Every structure is written in C-alpha cells, then in structure tokens.
Amino acid sequence: MRTVLGDVPAEQFGVCDAHDHLFFGSPRLPGEELRSASAARAELVAFRAQGGAGVVQWTPYGLGRRAADLPPLSRETGVHVVTATGLHQAVHYTEDTLGALRGRLAEVFVTELTEGIGTSGVRAGLIKVAGGFHALDAHAVWTMRAAAEAHHATAAPIAVHLELGTGALDVLDLLCGELGVPPERVVLGHLNRSPDFAVHRQAARSGCYLAFDGPSRAHHATDWRMPDAVRALAEAGHGDRLLLGGDTTTAAARSVNGGAGMPYLLRRVRPRLALELGEELVRRILVDNPGRAFAVAWPDRVVPWPS
C-alpha cells in the first residue's frame, strides 16, 4: 500500500478506516473546513487508542489535502495514512480550476501517484472520483475516463463517491464495462446512504468493493439500516468485498469537537457489527479487505504521458 511515508506491505497496515478525511475544504461547507493539524493529530491519536492502525484519506485534488502535513502526522501518531489524487464533483471547484485541468487530468493523476503531490514529495495511493445523484453528468464521465487512464498506467485503485449512495451500477458500467477497469480495483463509497439491498448485491457480484462509511447527520435515517445491509451481503457470500469508514468531512463531526469522529468506527460501529456478523468477519472487513482493496503492484516504469 502506498502510504504518505512510502510503500508498506498490506499485511502491515492493520485495522483500517477505509474512507475518512484528515484535511478537507469545500465551498459547499463554508466554516466547516478540516484545516487544523492539531485536530487531525488528536483524531489519529483517538483512533489509535481504539486499536486503529491505518486511515485512507479520500480528499482529492484542490480540496485542501495538505499533503506535506501528512507524513509528520503519520510519524507522530503511529497511524499509517494513504492519501488520494482525483477530482470531486464540479460543484466543489471554480471554473478556473477545472479549466486549468482540461486536456491533462489523467496526467495530473499519474504524476501525483508516481512522483508526488505538488512539491511535497508525498505520493497518492488511490484515485478518488464522484458520481451524481442517480446519474453520471459530463463532469463525472470526464473525471472517470481520466481515472481509468491513470489506473491503466499505474494499477492504482479508484474510489468513487456515490451521491447519496446512488448510481452504483452506472459507475460500474462506465469504469468496468466501457473503460476496462477490473472491478476488484474499484471501491464504491456511501452504499449505506441508499439501503437498496438488490443494487448492493448486483454491485458486489461484479467483484468491486463496497464501502459503508458514516455515520452522517444528513443521512441519519439510513444509519440504522447499515448492519442489515452488511449482514445481507455477507450472507450472500460477499463478506470479502466489504469495507468500513468514518468519512469525517466537517470540523463539527470530529471527536475533538464533540462529534463522532474517527474513533466512532471502532468504538461503536465495530461492536455493533460484531453482534450481527461475528468478531472474525468484522476483523476481516477492517483488516484483510482494505489490505486487498488498496494494495497495488506498482509498475517499475510508467509510460511517459503523450505531450
């Protein structure tokens, strides 16, 4: 796995929060930016105290990743951190930002995966993109095409924000059908926000990974369905494709500010699921599955991007 401190064997990554954010900022969430390094450190310390060992940060290009701050945080807390390249929905960016990426988006992704993010020297370990509500608009198709190109050049996994948990099958049709990305290299996020068990099973049959990441104040009505959804998938034989994450996107949601934060995943979600699934399956969901989902056999040589 490509962490901010370098590549480590997947088996050393340990108990994993497969979708979260240490730093994040968007014009859609004014005043709630995750900018504090001390708060990020406190969250990692609290997560580690609950037995956590690794965090996958899905914050993509242009949304305040603060890549240079991630290595010292990882060293100081003893928690492995994987960070992302990629691009979120268009609403999170200015037209100038998006315009500057036209014609070179895949190149940016490949560079951040293989050389580093900006001048930080920190290399991303995954590509994060996003769909829309029950559909894929032109921006989503553009970013997913670039993500597929970058995947084919590097073998990096692609993690997908599903808006309110919808559009999973459209994403798989595009990425895995049309664009040839192996399903086992795709992680679908936010399945808990749309508890459609039939769609979950269809997506799981493709071989992709399904992330159940929350809790969420905005989508609390679906939180109580999550254990049933996870159990249904496990009973259908898809326990090896399940991931769990916290997805802390606002300052108020951090445990240091009175929210659930990163520790909640292990403090409350883990024992709740253990009652439904048993301790051993939950251990595999938190340790073995993310080890496979985010592990990469990085190529010795990346073909130079066409100029």
Side-chain angles (χ1 to χ4, degrees):
M1 298 175 78
R2 178 147 289 174
T3 79
V4 298
L5 295 177
D7 296 349
V8 301
E11 59 269 20
Q12 294 182 13
F13 203 72
V15 173
C16 177
D17 178 344
H19 178 182
D20 226 311
H21 302 270
L22 291 167
F23 299 107
F24 181 81
S26 166
R28 295 194 71 184
L29 298 168
E32 288 289 353
E33 295 86 353
L34 300 180
R35 289 179 176 166
S36 170
S38 61
R41 183 180 298 106
E43 286 295 291
L44 288 173
V45 168
F47 178 68
R48 180 64 183 264
Q50 294 291 330
V55 172
V56 181
Q57 168 167 275
W58 285 30
T59 308
Y61 180 97
L63 296 184
R65 288 170 291 184
R66 294 182 61 169
D69 291 319
L70 296 175
L73 285 173
S74 180
R75 289 192 197 96
E76 292 163 13
T77 62
V79 177
H80 295 296
V81 176
V82 176
T83 196
T85 186
L87 208 67
H88 211 323
Q89 296 164 327
V91 70
H92 293 283
Y93 302 97
T94 66
E95 284 299 322
D96 287 346
T97 297
L98 296 178
L101 294 170
R102 298 292 176 189
R104 66 183 194 96
L105 190 58
E107 178 183 3
V108 169
F109 295 169
V110 170
T111 297
E112 294 195 337
L113 290 162
T114 60
E115 299 178 21
I117 297 170
T119 60
S120 69
V122 172
R123 294 180 294 179
L126 72 151
I127 309 160
K128 185 261 184 73
V129 291
F133 185 55
H134 287 291
L136 300 180
D137 63 12
H139 174 88
V141 172
W142 172 53
T143 58
M144 290 184 193
R145 287 188 182 280
E149 290 183 38
H151 161 78
H152 289 305
T154 65
I158 301 173
V160 185
H161 164 100
L162 299 179
E163 185 66 15
L164 300 185
T166 67
L169 302 183
D170 287 334
V171 168
L172 293 174
D173 284 347
L174 177 60
L175 284 178
C176 305
E178 181 180 342
L179 300 176
V181 178
E184 64 272 18
R185 294 282 74 195
V186 175
V187 178
L188 300 178
H190 303 317
L191 271 302
N192 48 303
R193 297 181 183 177
S194 180
D196 186 328
F197 292 9
V199 170
H200 292 179
R201 287 193 298 272
Q202 285 179 275
R205 289 188 197 113
S206 77
C208 72
Y209 287 89
L210 283 70
F212 291 80
D213 32 41
S216 169
R217 292 177 180 175
H219 312 291
H220 177 70
T222 65
D223 283 352
W224 65 273
R225 299 291 305 275
M226 188 270 283
D228 289 338
V230 172
R231 184 180 67 247
L233 285 165
E235 290 176 350
H238 303 301
D240 62 342
R241 293 292 154 181
L242 303 175
L243 301 171
L244 295 171
D247 191 29
T248 308
T249 57
T250 65
R254 278 182 158 159
S255 65
V256 294
N257 294 325
M262 289 183 177
Y264 186 83
L265 177 67
L266 303 181
R267 186 173 64 86
R268 293 300 184 199
V269 175
R270 176 171 56 182
R272 173 71 176 87
L273 287 179
L275 289 174
E276 299 281 343
L277 308 175
E279 295 281 356
E280 175 55 24
L281 180 54
V282 174
R283 186 203 66 78
R284 286 193 278 128
I285 292 171
L286 287 168
V287 178
D288 298 344
N289 294 359
R292 292 193 309 274
F294 298 106
V296 181
W298 297 97
D300 293 331
R301 178 176 176 270
V302 175
V303 177
W305 212 256
S307 57

